[in-house]
Amino acid sequence: MTNDYLITEKPLKALIFFSLPMIIGNLFQQAYTMADSAIVGRIVGETALAAVGAAYSLTNIFICIAIGGGIGASVIVSQYFGQGSYGKLKKAIYTALIAFLVISALLGGFGLLFSRNIMIALNTPAEVLDMSVTYLKIYFLGLPFLFMYNVLSSMFNALGKSRIPLYFLIFSSVFNIVLDWIFVADFHLDVAGVAWATLLAQGISVIGSFTVLLKELQKLKGNADGIFAKEELLPMAKIALPSILQQSTVSIGMMLVQSVVNSFGAEALAGFSAGMRIESICIVPMAAIGNAISSYTAQNIGADKKSRVTTGYVQANKLVAFFAVIICIVLEFFPAQLITLFLGADGSQTALSTGRSYLVFMGFFFGMIGFKMAVDGVLRGAGDMKMFTIANLVNLSIRVIMAMTLAPRFGIACVWYAVPIGWTANFIISYAQYRTGKWKTIRKI
């Protein structure tokens, strides 16, 4: 299939071909984060699982910043690709890589200095605080690798090369899991071991990804007149900042809600952490479809083929419905088995019950986040960011306010009751904006 298949092939075929490698790759990426939790939970104990879980919502925010920033840059790159402006495309890629390298170094330094303060502010249980801080400090040390890895993947996706990040994700995930086992089971490094494993695996993958990207860019005609352009940063930022917000909505909400969950104790936190790990797997296909329709929309708008966008959006929703049914069946019939993967058969009753309850309730609602991400993807790909941003802020606000006001009074279940309500409100606002058709009139770059 040629590199321009997103603007030439049938929409459903193009979206499947583009999103499938991302789904597989992201599942591998989630596999090693799940391995982090499963290995420390089974080998070190429930307290270690709670420690990694306490840090998870915070670390996931930085992952989302990297992914959202990469998506924002990839929209600009995709439009240049659709136009055939390869010189500008190369300069935009170089600019994005340099900008996010600097940002990641600054954020990593901030995290190293204030890890303990942040975890204390989140009401992290005292028995897991030290382990959480240890995990976070190593994580922040490797933050530039995390950023470069995700931004490089977005650049490959913008070029229609979504299979290349898949290969590196598979390598990184397998290598990470092997290192997890060696560092935790053999070297007894506990939570520090899984953090070092992630840093090393991502670092090696970044070097390989960057080398391959340079070779791919050499195949395109045209030369970039420089490696950094300030004029490229503004349009990237206009897309990247709302994209970061959209990608981070779930994680920012969970971090703010984390203080509520933490107040229920380490056992409840361990069960909730296990449930969140399963949730992160379930969101993978939905996020991949949203990212696919974003690149699809950007390339087709760049090529002046706006009629294909509407058709592609309909096909994207069909893919969402397909995955939503599968996810619902698995979560409703096998919640206990999934939670036991992390806690083991000897997990406390509170942890097991909390995790099971979370999954059983959430199983019915992943279709809604898929529909939300699909319509958000169209708006983002078109550069229609105003209502996109408002919708995601409403989503975040509903989740945080409901959890913080209702959970302390009525119980921990209110934390997850707020989730589908936020997703639904987000979808309604974004879909209403899509129906106006204003996204079709957004001026191209």
Side-chain angles (χ1 to χ4, degrees):
M1 190 174 290
T2 59
N3 289 341
D4 61 351
Y5 64 90
L6 286 177
I7 57 180
T8 57
E9 294 289 341
K10 292 182 178 180
L12 181 59
K13 179 180 178 181
L15 289 171
I16 292 175
F17 190 84
F18 187 83
S19 63
L20 191 58
M22 285 196 293
I23 292 172
I24 297 172
N26 288 337
L27 287 174
F28 271 97
Q29 190 173 38
Q30 291 295 335
Y32 71 71
T33 64
M34 290 179 67
D36 288 352
S37 297
I39 289 173
V40 296
R42 285 176 169 268
I43 295 177
V44 184
E46 195 172 276
T47 302
L49 173 61
V52 175
Y56 176 71
S57 59
L58 176 62
T59 60
N60 213 37
I61 289 177
F62 291 94
I63 293 174
C64 291
I65 291 173
I67 293 174
I71 291 173
S74 72
V75 169
I76 304 300
V77 173
S78 292
Q79 290 194 14
Y80 282 141
F81 186 85
Q83 295 171 6
S85 303
Y86 299 131
K88 292 181 179 179
L89 176 150
K90 293 177 182 180
K91 186 163 63 173
I93 289 177
Y94 299 148
T95 300
L97 292 175
I98 293 171
F100 282 105
L101 179 61
V102 173
I103 291 171
S104 65
L106 293 174
L107 290 175
F110 175 85
L112 282 170
L113 290 174
F114 298 104
S115 295
R116 179 171 292 274
N117 305 75
I118 295 171
M119 297 312 294
I120 291 174
L122 291 175
N123 297 322
T124 303
E127 60 267 41
V128 304
L129 178 61
D130 287 340
M131 284 190 288
S132 293
V133 172
T134 297
Y135 180 87
L136 273 179
K137 285 187 175 180
I138 300 171
Y139 175 90
F140 282 120
L141 191 64
L143 197 65
F145 290 141
L146 170 72
F147 264 66
M148 289 299 97
Y149 183 74
N150 283 282
V151 174
L152 285 166
S153 295
S154 294
M155 296 302 97
F156 282 120
N157 292 335
L159 299 174
K161 299 284 186 178
S162 58
R163 289 190 177 187
I164 294 177
L166 168 61
Y167 301 144
F168 282 106
L169 273 171
I170 292 174
F171 165 78
S172 178
S173 301
V174 174
F175 188 46
N176 194 116
I177 292 171
V178 171
L179 290 178
D180 276 344
W181 187 264
I182 293 173
F183 289 166
V184 176
D186 295 337
F187 294 170
H188 306 292
L189 296 177
D190 298 342
V191 296
V194 296
W196 282 116
T198 300
L199 185 153
L200 291 173
Q202 288 186 338
I204 293 173
S205 292
V206 164
I207 295 172
S209 297
F210 183 67
T211 302
V212 174
L213 179 64
L214 291 179
K215 291 182 178 179
E216 290 295 325
L217 293 179
Q218 289 174 359
K219 297 177 183 178
L220 300 176
K221 297 178 181 179
N223 296 314
D225 55 345
I227 61 172
F228 187 83
K230 292 181 180 179
E231 65 270 16
E232 295 291 351
L233 286 178
L234 182 58
M236 283 185 190
K238 287 181 178 179
I239 306 294
L241 291 177
S243 295
I244 289 170
L245 175 63
Q246 187 260 350
Q247 292 288 322
S248 303
T249 296
V250 174
S251 298
I252 293 173
M254 291 316 304
M255 186 191 72
L256 296 175
V257 169
Q258 189 80 60
S259 60
V260 178
V261 177
N262 289 344
S263 67
F264 287 88
E267 291 182 351
L269 173 59
F272 184 67
S273 299
M276 284 203 311
R277 294 297 193 184
I278 302 299
E279 178 188 334
S280 65
I281 289 286
C282 297
I283 289 177
V284 162
M286 307 309 183
I289 293 168
N291 293 341
I293 194 66
S294 179
S295 293
Y296 173 91
T297 299
Q299 284 199 18
N300 280 281
I301 286 178
D304 285 324
K305 295 184 177 182
K306 294 178 182 178
S307 61
R308 282 175 54 85
V309 175
T310 302
T311 305
Y313 172 58
V314 172
Q315 300 304 322
N317 283 326
K318 291 180 181 179
L319 292 176
V320 167
F322 170 77
F323 283 109
V325 170
I326 295 175
I327 291 169
C328 182
I329 291 172
V330 172
L331 294 188
E332 297 309 311
F333 285 94
F334 305 104
Q337 293 88 335
L338 292 171
I339 294 299
T340 304
L341 288 174
F342 296 91
L343 298 175
D346 299 327
S348 67
Q349 187 57 42
T350 299
L352 292 170
S353 176
T354 300
R356 283 198 306 267
S357 298
Y358 183 74
L359 293 184
V360 169
F361 177 79
M362 290 297 297
F364 294 102
F365 299 105
F366 284 98
M368 182 52 65
I369 192 172
F371 295 132
K372 160 198 131 45
M373 287 185 168
V375 71
D376 279 352
V378 173
L379 298 181
R380 182 176 59 234
D384 189 359
M385 306 305 292
K386 182 177 179 180
M387 294 306 298
F388 170 100
T389 305
I390 292 173
N392 282 277
L393 284 173
V394 169
N395 178 9
L396 174 61
S397 300
I398 288 174
R399 296 184 62 178
V400 173
I401 292 172
M402 286 190 62
M404 288 188 166
T405 57
L406 298 181
R409 182 176 181 181
F410 298 107
I412 194 172
C414 291
V415 170
W416 48 86
Y417 292 164
V419 175
I421 297 175
W423 288 347
T424 302
N426 186 325
F427 169 75
I428 291 172
I429 295 171
S430 293
Y431 184 72
Q433 178 66 11
Y434 167 80
R435 291 289 295 175
T436 66
K438 292 180 180 178
W439 57 271
K440 297 179 183 179
T441 64
I442 301 296
R443 186 174 62 84
K444 294 189 298 181
I445 57 172

